[in-house]
Amino acid sequence: WAKAAATGTGTTSVVLTVAPTVQNNTYNPSAQITFSANVSSLTAGATPAGTITFSDATPSGAIPIGGSAVTLDSSGKASVTVNSGLPIGGNNVAAQYSGDANYAPSQSSPPFVVTISKSQTTPTISAPTAVAAGASFSATVTITAGTPPPGSLPPTGSVTMAVDGVATASST
């Protein structure tokens, strides 16, 4: 069945929020981010019904965030949570309201800019301070993510250890 088009003419306000709130809205690529939209009547009518589509406005068009449209709850709110779903760089996120029998479609404005950036990392090395010539030893390297705060996944990649500038061991 085809979805009926919105026929309403009432006006609404669409307010987009993002959680968690972080400094400069900059998140790690694996961060879990929740986008929420609250649709309210500007004409003091019934609570709007319908759906919200969250999207990232790009030069080649809007890219949906979180899959399909989300149905508004009885208070006019809808949310979607994404895990590592946004590309690195600036993302212009908006919430589009579908409209219903009482209200015309509308969207949040201006777009909420969410920046995705790889976290700075800091290595910490735990090894003996002195080793006899020719003796073997163990060293542990721990990688800690800094800013933006780490997401839901730990840092990945490889570590190469060097002695006097010569690579002697590596691990992933």
Side-chain angles (χ1 to χ4, degrees), residues 12-17 35-42 47-48 52 54 72-79 95-97 106-108:
T12 59
S13 167
V14 180
V15 177
L16 174 65
T17 58
F35 297 98
S36 299
N38 185 16
V39 182
S40 57
S41 170
L42 294 178
T47 301
I52 289 287
F54 296 92
L72 292 171
D73 67 15
S74 61
S75 65
K77 295 180 183 173
S79 296
Q96 294 83 26
Y97 168 57
S106 60
Q107 78 173 27
S108 60

Side-chain angles (χ1 to χ4, degrees), residues 39-71:
V39 182
S40 57
S41 170
L42 294 178
T43 57
T47 301
T51 61
I52 289 287
T53 300
F54 296 92
S55 64
D56 178 10
T58 69
S60 57
I63 298 171
I65 295 173
S68 59
V70 180
T71 301

